[in-house]
């Protein structure tokens, strides 16, 4: 995926989490123009531009910066568009993740087991054993 910052420059927009009206205008355009109905390879440049505005802000900004309904709209649309890559904006209110010790296989196994216990994996994914060096994990 191309970086969202490069896409923003190419399409002439700024990623700014303090401008909810820009995000909402992009969402409104996508819905009003029925951009989701155009085939993925035959979208107008304005549909593509407005989706990138929406997606870059969705992925970069805190979830509280977007109206809850827009979260639903985004996930309904994302499979119909190409996406760009951007990491989540730094949030000083969150604690830092603890350092990872790659030699501690028991801690890795515990984390993977917890993930499988609390997260639903796609149907085509099988559970890996992180303590087995031949498992690819």
């Amino acid at each position: 995926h191309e970086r969202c910052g490069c896409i923003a420059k190419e399409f002439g927009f700024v990623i700014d989490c303090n401008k909810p009206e820009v995000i909402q205008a992009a969402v409104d355009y996508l819905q009003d123009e029925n951009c989701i109905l155009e085939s993925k390879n035959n979208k107008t440049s304005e549909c593509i531009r407005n989706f990138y505005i929406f997606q870059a802000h969705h992925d970069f900004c805190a979830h509280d910066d977007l109206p809850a309904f827009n979260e639903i709209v985004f996930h309904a649309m994302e499979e119909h568009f190409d996406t760009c890559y951007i990491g989540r904006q730094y949030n000083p209110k969150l604690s830092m993740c603890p350092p990872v010790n790659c030699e501690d296989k028991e801690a890795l196994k515990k984390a993977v087991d917890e993930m499988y216990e609390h997260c639903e994996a796609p149907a085509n994914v099988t559970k890996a054993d992180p303590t087995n060096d031949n498992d690819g994990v």
Side-chain angles (χ1 to χ4, degrees):
H1 296 286
E2 191 171 351
R3 295 193 174 271
C4 292
C6 298
I7 294 284
K9 186 175 181 179
E10 178 184 338
F11 282 88
F13 66 89
V14 175
I15 303 167
D16 185 346
C17 300
N18 296 313
K19 302 272 185 175
E21 67 280 2
V22 172
I23 303 165
Q24 191 59 53
V27 173
D28 292 344
Y29 183 91
L30 290 163
Q31 291 179 310
D32 293 346
E33 298 299 318
N34 291 314
C35 292
I36 198 169
L37 298 178
E38 298 173 2
S39 72
K40 191 171 186 175
N41 296 324
N42 195 28
K43 297 217 179 287
T44 66
S45 61
E46 275 306 299
C47 283
I48 294 168
R49 179 182 186 276
N50 280 282
F51 180 76
Y52 278 136
I53 291 169
F54 187 21
Q55 188 242 320
H57 286 87
H58 170 273
D59 291 357
F60 181 67
C61 303
H63 283 286
D64 294 344
D65 292 341
L66 301 175
F69 181 72
N70 283 354
E71 187 73 21
I72 295 166
V73 172
F74 176 77
H75 290 292
M77 289 188 169
E78 70 180 322
E79 68 185 56
H80 300 280
F81 290 86
D82 290 329
T83 58
C84 57
Y85 170 77
I86 190 168
R88 177 75 61 198
Q89 182 180 33
Y90 175 72
N91 184 344
K93 295 177 188 172
L94 298 177
S95 61
M96 294 299 291
C97 294
V100 175
N101 177 353
C102 295
E103 302 301 316
D104 186 354
K105 291 190 177 192
E106 272 308 305
L108 175 60
K109 182 174 180 352
K110 181 180 175 188
V112 170
D113 288 345
E114 186 174 317
M115 178 186 69
Y116 279 108
E117 182 179 324
H118 298 288
C119 303
E120 189 173 322
N124 63 342
V125 175
T126 58
K127 186 173 179 179
D129 179 358
T131 61
N132 180 350
D133 289 333
N134 297 323
D135 231 2
V137 176

